[in-house]
Structure formats: structure tokens, C-alpha cells
Amino acid sequence: MAENGEEKLIAVARQIVKSIGHTDIAMTDDILQIFSNFDNRFREKLNGNISGIDTGAALDQTLKTLDRRVSRYLTVDEPIWSNSGDASLFLAAVDELIALIREWSVMADDESVTICVDRAEDLLRQCMFRLEEEFKLLMKRGGVESDSNASGAGDGDGGDLGYLYSDSDLDDEDEFDVPLAHPVMDYNITIDAISSSTINSLHQISKRMVAGGYGKECSSVYSSCRRDFIEESLSRLGFLGLQNQTNDDNDIEIEKWIKAINMAVRVFYPSEQRLCDRIFGYSSSAAAAAADLSFMDACRVSTMELLNFANGVAMGSRSPERLFKILDVYEAVKSLLPEFEVLFSGHYCLFLRNEAVGVWKKLGESIRGIFMELENLIRRDPVKATVPGGGLHPITRYVMNYLRAACSRQTLAQVFDDDHNHSSVSASSSSSSPLSVQISWIMDVLESNLESKSRVYRDPALSSVFMMNNGRYIVQKVKDDELGSLLGDDWIRKQTSKVRQHHANYQRASWHKILNTLKLDNSNLSSNAGSKSLKDKLKVFNSQFDEICRNQSTWVVFDEQLREELKVSVAGTLLPAYRNFLGRFHNLQDIGKYADKHVKFSVEDVEARIDGLFQATAVVGNGRK
């Protein structure tokens, strides 16, 4: 019964179509459309049995019908999307046009069909141009219509943060200025700058443009609008891009850049990617490609400006003073590399991720290059530039304070480790870290330079004092510091031993000769010759001791403990010998009662003069850092 009824219905439909097919082909097509919507089998059976209807003519009439349906939307001045009903009708007509082209393109060998398909593609092109205009208008209006109830979310679940606008953003509704975000400092947020209803409309348009083969055009419109939005938002954070990079050592600009790149990579770009996904979707590979292309193009300019700023810092001079600024930039880029890896993993975005990695590597190279330049600066420091009194040399103070500050940054070790790990050279068997090896080498260069400077002093004792001062300062700066951990206890012990050796050299150069003067020959003490010898020795001692004390009272020993150690060691060696000498001198029978006429310094006087050594220390020592 059902089958018989279906055949009767089809027969009636055929009769209707046949009766009007030669007089109103457009109506015929409408009837076929109605029956095909009811059941696809009707279209097949009707098309298979209707005679006298030319395929090309039927297709032509279908195109004319579609042309009439879309023409009024192509020429109207006001936006189609100002009326949701018109928007739906227009999209439906576009869907039919796309389906018709796909269906009939396979019959390209039929000339009449080919002509109709060409006409259909031209009509589709006009529709795409209008959709592109509508898309642009919605993009520009979208932010102004943003949901007012959106708020920041700190739970990490992708909450929204509605953009707040100043009064100037909304003064003139006829001007579609890009809405701008006020600065937001919380990174755990997502920003929606376009309302959900507008996003849905944009998605409907992008879906048709991608299906019609105009995905790149749609992406271009999207990115041009969003690119301006991102750049203006970054400018509100104070970052003006390369146009303001007049001095890459400007701390304020680097600080603004750090805030800007963190907001861009952690807030703006993830939010932009989310918006792209919602507008373009992933219903097809073409839609996914359009989303990736749109996201890349929207972020490309701002990303390159941010990375070019960092690259400019990396390409600047390798003066040691720039180390800490470059470390700040290096740390910012390195901390964001995981975000770059996730955000820019698509085909179109891959070069942005590679650019970030490249800038990070250049910053590392610049940091390592600064340490090479530091070595060169130490080597080039003039050898003849000695310090009066054998005090602490400025190069020693500079290098040690510099290394202490540098090694307090944990990132520095990572810079050298990363280079070591990526090096093609096989790993060294040494257990020392790459940074410790670098620091040890710098210390060797410094010590070599100081030794050269010490040889300029004419007095060997003063050379030893100079080396003692600088060696003691180095050891003190290394102890209880990250430098000590890098150089190791063995290195510290060796340096301490060298300071003791310089102390011994000082004693030998300054006091051994005068101690030899005080030596007594027991065999001649009772003779007149022995008396004369003692008087001569005492005279030489008085002269030498007075000269030594006069000279060394102007010498410098910056460290109070070292200064006291030197005095104690001198007194401990000289006083017993002098006391013994005076005892023998007073016991001489022929000159005993006249001994005081020959003795210029009592034991107490000698002790007091020794205590007056290195008086310049008080001035230099109080000024040290």
C-alpha cells in the first residue's frame, strides 16, 4: 500500500513538472527542490523520467533563482547582519550556491554545464566579497558589544576577563575604532574582547568562506583587525616596539618590555588563539589551517617586535656592565619558551617559535661573550698602573665584586650549562661545571695580571705586600659565597697558601737582612775588636730599622687581621733578637757604662715603631667595599 501510494505521488509530481516545465523552468526547479527536500529519492526518480527538460537550461534557471535571492543582499547599503533573518537567508543561499558548484563541477566535459558553473563561481565570488565586508564590520564592532558580565578567573579553567573601555572608546558609535584593553597584570586569565553572539556570527561567516575557498581572505581580515588590537594593548603597557628602542641599555625600557612580553605570551596570545578556534573551528583541515594562519598573522608583528627588542639587546656591545641587563632579558625569554612551544606549534606559526628559540640562544651567546671580554679587559689592564703602598688594585676589586654579583644569579650557570649540553664536543670527564671552569680561568688571568703588576715595584717586600693584599681580598670575596661553591675548597686552600707564601717572602725581603745584623759572634765578644763590631752592628741596625719603619709606615695593608698578623710576626722575630743583642751590648766591660749613648732604640721603641707600620691602611681600608 505504501509503495503504491509513493508511486502515485511521484506520478502526480511528474505530471506537474511536465505540464509547466516548458513554460516556467524556474518554478519547475522550485518544485523539484521541494520534493527533493522531502525525500532525495524523488529527485532521482523525477530527474530520471522527465523528458524535454535540458540539463543546462535547468541549471541556468537554478542559477537565476539563486541570483535573485542573493542580489538584494549584495547591493544593500546597510549591514546584512543588522537583521538576523536576512543573515540566515543569505547564508542559506550561499550554502546552496557552494553545493551547486561542487555537484556540477564534476560534469566539466559538458560545455553548457561548464558555462553555468563559471557563472555560479562568479556569483559566489560576489557573495564572498560581501561576506568579507560583513566579517570586517563584525570584527570592528565586536569588542564594543562584548559581554558586560565577563570577569577574571584565577582557577585556571579558562575563565574570561571582559575588557573595560574608557569613555573615549565609545564616544562615536559610527567610528569603528579598535577597542583597547586596560592593562591587566594577572597572568592566570583569558580575555574575551568579542561577545559570544558576535563570535557565533563570525563563525558562520568563516565557515562559508572556508567552504567556498576563501579561507585566506577571511584570515586576512581577521588578522588585520586583531593585530591592531594586540599592538595597541601592548602600547598601553608602555611598550612601543622598535620605534622606542633608542638605547638597549635603558632599564626602564627593558622593564616595560618584560611586562609586555609576559602579558603578550601568557594572556593576549592564548586568548587570541582561543578566539581563533571559536571563530574558525576545526570542522575540516581547511578550517584548522585558516585558524592557524589567522592566529599567526594576528600575532606575527607584535611577536617579532618583542623578539627583535630582545635580539637588539643580544646584539649590543659585550661590555661587562651589560651582563645583568642581558640576564634580565634572557630570563624573560627562557621562562616563556614553554608557552612559545605550545602556542606556536602549528604549521604557519612554527617560524615564530623558532625565532624565539633563536633569540634565546643569541642572548646566551652574548652572555658568554661578555665573560670572554672580561678576560680581555683584565689582560689589557696596564701593568705599569701600580697602586701606591702596595694596596688593593682597582682591577681586583672590580673583578671580584663583579663575579660575586654575577654568580649570585642562578641563571648564569644555566647559560653555560645550556651551551655545554648543546655543544657537539663530547662531554668532558671533569666533574666541574662549565661556569666553574670559566670562573677558574678568569681567576687565573687575574692572578697572572697581578703578578705582572707586582714586578713593577722596585722593593721586593712591597711586591709581596701587594700580592698579599690582593690575594687576601680574593680569598675573602670567595669564601661563604656562590663563588666559593663554584671554585671549590681546594682552590680556596691553594689561594690561602699563596697568601702565606707572600707573607714569608715579605718577611725575608724586609727583615732577614736586619736580623743578620743582630747576629753575635761569641768568640770575639771579650776583645776590643768584638766591641767595635757590636757598635758597628748597632749603628747599621739603627739606620736600617729607621729606614724600614719610615718606608713601611706608608705602605697599605687593607685587612685589619692581616695587618696585625704581619706586625705580630715581625715583632715575634725581631724583638727577641734585638733584646738579646742589647743584653750582650750592655755587658761589654769597656763600653757597658757608655752603652746608652750608642743605643738609639730601646726594645719598647722598636715595638712601638713596629706597631706604627702600614699606617696608610686606615685611609684605604675604610674606603674598601
Side-chain angles (χ1 to χ4, degrees):
M1 292 286 292
E3 184 176 352
N4 189 36
E6 179 182 312
E7 290 297 330
K8 289 182 178 180
L9 182 58
I10 291 174
V12 172
R14 287 172 181 166
Q15 187 60 40
I16 294 174
V17 172
K18 285 181 179 179
S19 63
I20 65 176
H22 295 285
T23 58
D24 193 341
I25 298 179
M27 187 178 295
T28 302
D29 187 73
D30 289 342
I31 294 174
L32 289 173
Q33 181 65 39
I34 292 171
F35 278 102
S36 66
N37 290 338
F38 180 76
D39 193 321
N40 287 333
R41 293 173 297 174
F42 290 166
R43 173 179 283 277
E44 296 173 2
K45 293 181 179 181
L46 288 169
N47 285 339
N49 293 278
I50 296 174
S51 60
I53 301 179
D54 180 73
T55 302
L59 183 55
D60 177 73
Q61 289 302 317
T62 301
L63 281 176
K64 288 180 179 179
T65 301
L66 285 174
D67 197 351
R68 288 197 304 272
R69 291 168 59 186
V70 302
S71 290
R72 68 187 187 92
Y73 298 114
L74 297 177
T75 57
V76 68
D77 290 334
E78 65 180 39
I80 298 175
W81 259 256
S82 61
N83 184 297
S84 59
D86 287 341
S88 298
L89 291 173
F90 183 58
L91 289 177
V94 171
D95 286 339
E96 292 181 30
L97 186 57
I98 293 173
L100 182 145
I101 293 173
R102 287 178 179 175
E103 180 180 352
W104 290 97
S105 292
V106 296
M107 299 179 63
D109 53 340
D110 188 321
E111 184 177 353
S112 62
V113 172
T114 300
I115 294 173
C116 290
V117 169
D118 289 342
R119 286 171 51 207
E121 289 178 345
D122 183 65
L123 182 59
L124 178 64
R125 188 178 303 110
Q126 297 177 52
C127 293
M128 292 295 118
F129 289 158
R130 185 55 194 257
L131 285 176
E132 184 177 331
E133 292 177 5
E134 295 291 324
F135 192 90
K136 183 183 297 183
L137 289 174
L138 287 171
M139 286 294 298
K140 290 185 175 182
R141 288 179 180 264
V144 179
E145 300 170 358
S146 180
D147 294 337
S148 61
N149 61 347
S151 61
D155 55 8
D157 292 331
D160 299 330
L161 178 70
Y163 270 74
L164 304 177
Y165 302 94
S166 62
D167 294 338
S168 61
D169 293 328
L170 307 177
D171 284 344
D172 190 348
E173 294 183 359
D174 294 331
E175 294 184 5
F176 303 135
D177 294 331
V178 176
L180 306 177
H182 288 287
V184 180
M185 298 313 299
D186 181 8
Y187 296 145
N188 192 26
I189 55 176
T190 301
I191 293 174
D192 276 341
I194 300 178
S195 67
S196 296
S197 59
T198 302
I199 290 174
N200 182 62
S201 297
L202 291 168
H203 174 68
Q204 295 301 324
I205 294 176
S206 71
K207 182 178 179 182
R208 271 70 179 190
M209 292 189 71
V210 170
Y214 287 78
K216 289 187 176 180
E217 287 77 3
C218 187
S219 294
S220 178
V221 173
Y222 173 92
S223 59
S224 64
C225 295
R226 298 302 298 167
R227 183 165 53 241
D228 292 342
F229 177 90
I230 293 174
E231 291 184 15
E232 291 295 337
S233 296
L234 287 175
S235 72
R236 289 206 173 185
L237 295 173
F239 179 72
L240 301 178
L242 296 179
Q243 58 182 304
N244 204 41
Q245 193 178 1
T246 56
N247 183 0
D248 61 12
D249 281 347
N250 189 316
D251 288 330
I252 296 177
E253 290 306 314
I254 289 178
E255 183 179 350
K256 290 178 180 178
W257 173 84
I258 290 174
K259 291 180 179 179
I261 194 170
N262 274 283
M263 280 297 293
V265 178
R266 293 179 174 175
V267 177
F268 295 157
Y269 295 162
S271 299
E272 199 64 33
Q273 189 176 57
R274 180 172 179 266
L275 182 61
C276 279
D277 293 344
R278 294 177 67 186
I279 289 178
F280 290 93
Y282 288 87
S283 58
S284 65
S285 59
D292 185 34
L293 177 61
S294 301
F295 174 63
M296 179 279 294
D297 209 16
C299 302
R300 175 176 53 84
V301 173
S302 58
T303 302
M304 291 305 300
E305 285 186 343
L306 289 165
L307 292 177
N308 283 339
F309 182 94
N311 190 61
V313 173
M315 299 301 289
S317 72
R318 294 189 173 181
S319 170
E321 287 74 16
R322 298 187 67 245
L323 172 68
F324 304 98
K325 296 178 177 65
I326 300 176
L327 275 172
D328 290 340
V329 176
Y330 177 92
E331 289 170 354
V333 174
K334 181 177 176 62
S335 68
L336 293 173
L337 284 181
E339 280 79 3
F340 273 102
E341 184 78 21
V342 174
L343 285 170
F344 302 124
S345 59
H347 171 72
Y348 290 104
C349 298
L350 193 59
F351 82 97
L352 291 175
R353 184 189 68 178
N354 294 338
E355 190 71 22
V357 173
V359 169
W360 166 66
K361 289 181 178 179
K362 287 181 181 178
L363 288 165
E365 291 172 3
S366 181
I367 292 170
R368 292 185 292 271
I370 283 177
F371 279 82
M372 295 178 64
E373 180 60 23
L374 179 61
E375 292 178 21
N376 294 330
L377 287 175
I378 297 172
R379 288 192 181 95
R380 293 195 300 263
D381 194 61
V383 171
K384 293 183 179 180
T386 58
V387 178
L392 183 64
H393 199 281
I395 191 68
T396 306
R397 189 193 307 274
Y398 172 81
V399 171
M400 296 312 300
N401 286 328
Y402 182 88
L403 291 179
R404 276 175 63 95
C407 293
S408 67
R409 301 282 290 266
Q410 294 182 352
T411 305
L412 188 62
Q414 297 174 7
V415 172
F416 283 87
D417 288 342
D418 289 337
D419 178 59
H420 182 74
N421 294 335
H422 289 88
S423 175
S424 58
V425 181
S426 59
S428 172
S429 58
S430 172
S431 59
S432 300
S433 69
L435 179 59
S436 66
V437 172
Q438 177 67 61
I439 298 299
S440 296
W441 180 247
I442 290 177
M443 299 306 296
D444 289 343
V445 173
L446 175 61
E447 184 177 5
S448 177
N449 182 270
L450 291 173
E451 288 175 351
S452 299
K453 287 178 167 61
S454 72
R455 288 191 286 270
V456 178
Y457 292 104
R458 294 182 179 180
D459 190 335
L462 186 55
S463 296
S464 297
V465 170
F466 173 79
M467 292 302 295
M468 255 193 298
N469 273 314
N470 288 273
R472 184 62 166 257
Y473 185 83
I474 290 171
V475 171
Q476 286 186 340
K477 285 294 182 178
V478 169
K479 280 185 175 180
D480 303 322
D481 187 76
E482 182 63 28
L483 268 176
S485 301
L486 287 168
L487 294 171
D489 293 336
D490 288 343
W491 187 92
I492 296 175
R493 281 192 292 269
K494 289 179 181 178
Q495 293 302 312
T496 303
S497 177
K498 289 180 180 180
V499 173
R500 287 196 297 267
Q501 183 61 49
H502 293 309
H503 185 168
N505 293 341
Y506 159 77
Q507 287 273 60
R508 183 166 52 252
S510 290
W511 303 103
H512 277 203
K513 185 177 180 180
I514 199 171
L515 285 171
N516 288 332
T517 302
L518 297 176
K519 286 184 179 180
L520 300 173
D521 187 356
N522 293 329
S523 62
N524 295 322
L525 287 180
S526 59
S527 65
N528 291 333
S531 298
K532 184 178 184 304
S533 175
L534 286 180
K535 285 189 288 185
D536 291 341
K537 284 179 177 288
L538 185 60
K539 185 177 180 181
V540 171
F541 172 83
N542 291 339
S543 175
Q544 290 181 345
F545 181 71
D546 187 57
E547 182 181 2
I548 290 175
C549 290
R550 187 173 59 253
N551 290 336
Q552 295 193 14
S553 64
T554 62
W555 288 5
V556 175
V557 176
F558 83 93
D559 181 69
E560 182 177 353
Q561 181 181 349
L562 178 61
R563 185 166 63 247
E564 292 306 314
E565 288 175 358
L566 285 173
K567 292 178 181 180
V568 169
S569 66
V570 171
T573 303
L574 185 60
L575 289 178
Y578 186 62
R579 187 179 290 110
N580 183 52
F581 180 89
L582 288 182
R584 295 294 183 91
F585 188 78
H586 281 288
N587 288 332
L588 289 174
Q589 293 180 356
D590 56 339
I591 62 171
K593 58 182 178 180
Y594 306 109
D596 290 340
K597 293 182 180 180
H598 300 282
V599 177
K600 184 177 182 179
F601 302 104
S602 66
V603 174
E604 290 74 16
D605 291 336
V606 171
E607 187 174 9
R609 293 293 295 274
I610 292 173
D611 193 54
L613 298 177
F614 316 119
Q615 287 301 305
T617 304
V619 177
V620 177
N622 288 340
R624 68 185 179 88
K625 294 182 179 179

